[in-house]
Amino acid sequence: MEQLFFAKLNKIIIYYLTYKNMANGPRKDFLSWNDTFMLMAQLIAQRSKEPSTQTGAVVVDERNVVLGMGYNGFPRGIEADELPWGKEQDSWVYTKYPYTVHAERNAIYNSNKSVEGGKVYCTLFPCNECAKTIIQNGIKELIYMDDKYINEEYSVAAKKLFDLAGVRYKKYVPSKKMLISDNDEK
């Protein structure tokens, strides 16, 4: 009987050592949703042909399903060399400003279904025009990475619009250090 007890105990120990210790649970160092979507926004921004500021945006629903992505650039069908990219000229029509579609709007335009109730992740705090589009489409939260133009009138107006419409906004804070490697061996 004692021998049978130790045989069963031995099987339990082997089972424990073999199966239970193989994996002590799921991986703990995975990306948070905020980190994931901000990395996606940074990645899609790299599609922009804008010479001075490349921006990206990702719209997700309340279940963290990606609905759309966008970057700043000219409207579909217009080649990158057909319009000006300059910032300052004698006339506004000779600058990039009247022709560029911002990343936030492109993310909404590119969405595969309604973005109502969703979140938008932006590499740059939106302007007032994008704020109106975000509000009108029912997005409830904005997470932005950079606010270098936060004191400009269009950013002040955007904040006012978000506050009045009840759209929450917050600056993105990475939960861990992340590196994207291009796998180049040097």
Side-chain angles (χ1 to χ4, degrees):
M1 188 153 212
E2 192 174 85
Q3 196 173 16
L4 185 59
F5 171 76
F6 284 113
K8 285 185 178 181
L9 182 61
N10 193 35
K11 281 185 180 181
I12 291 170
I13 292 170
I14 290 172
Y15 173 79
Y16 180 80
L17 293 174
T18 305
Y19 298 102
K20 294 289 184 181
N21 281 338
M22 276 183 147
N24 292 326
R27 197 175 118 225
K28 304 274 191 252
D29 63 343
F30 58 90
L31 292 175
S32 70
W33 285 120
N34 281 351
D35 292 338
T36 300
F37 297 134
M38 196 55 77
L39 280 169
M40 290 173 74
Q42 289 176 289
L43 184 62
I44 198 67
Q46 297 306 304
R47 289 279 310 136
S48 175
K49 293 162 189 77
E50 220 283 1
S52 61
T53 306
Q54 299 81 42
T55 61
V58 176
V59 181
V60 301
D61 69 12
E62 62 280 348
R63 295 175 303 136
N64 293 314
V65 174
V66 174
L67 301 177
M69 296 189 293
Y71 55 88
N72 58 324
F74 296 148
R76 284 187 186 96
I78 299 174
E79 295 299 322
D81 59 355
E82 292 184 281
L83 291 169
W85 287 107
K87 292 180 175 185
E88 296 176 26
Q89 295 293 330
D90 292 338
S91 174
W92 181 67
V93 296
Y94 297 116
T95 69
K96 65 181 179 175
Y97 299 112
Y99 310 111
T100 303
V101 181
H102 290 180
E104 302 87 345
R105 284 181 161 183
N106 270 327
I108 292 168
Y109 297 152
N110 292 334
S111 291
N112 55 24
K113 67 177 193 174
S114 171
V115 298
E116 189 168 354
K119 290 185 216 178
V120 61
Y121 290 81
C122 307
T123 58
L124 189 62
F125 192 85
C127 71
N128 62 302
E129 294 299 319
C130 289
K132 290 186 274 187
T133 301
I134 289 166
I135 293 164
Q136 288 296 90
N137 281 276
I139 291 173
K140 298 297 180 197
E141 187 172 357
L142 161 76
I143 296 95
Y144 63 94
M145 191 162 90
D146 190 1
D147 60 0
K148 65 182 177 180
Y149 301 116
I150 205 68
N151 294 319
E152 297 291 335
E153 289 180 340
Y154 52 83
S155 292
V156 172
K159 275 186 157 184
K160 185 173 187 171
L161 288 166
F162 287 142
D163 290 340
L164 291 170
V167 175
R168 296 180 309 275
Y169 53 90
K170 65 181 178 183
K171 188 164 176 63
Y172 167 69
V173 178
S175 64
K176 61 193 256 180
K177 184 176 181 178
M178 295 171 288
L179 300 173
I180 299 177
S181 172
D182 60 7
N183 293 325
D184 284 344
E185 293 184 26
K186 295 180 180 173

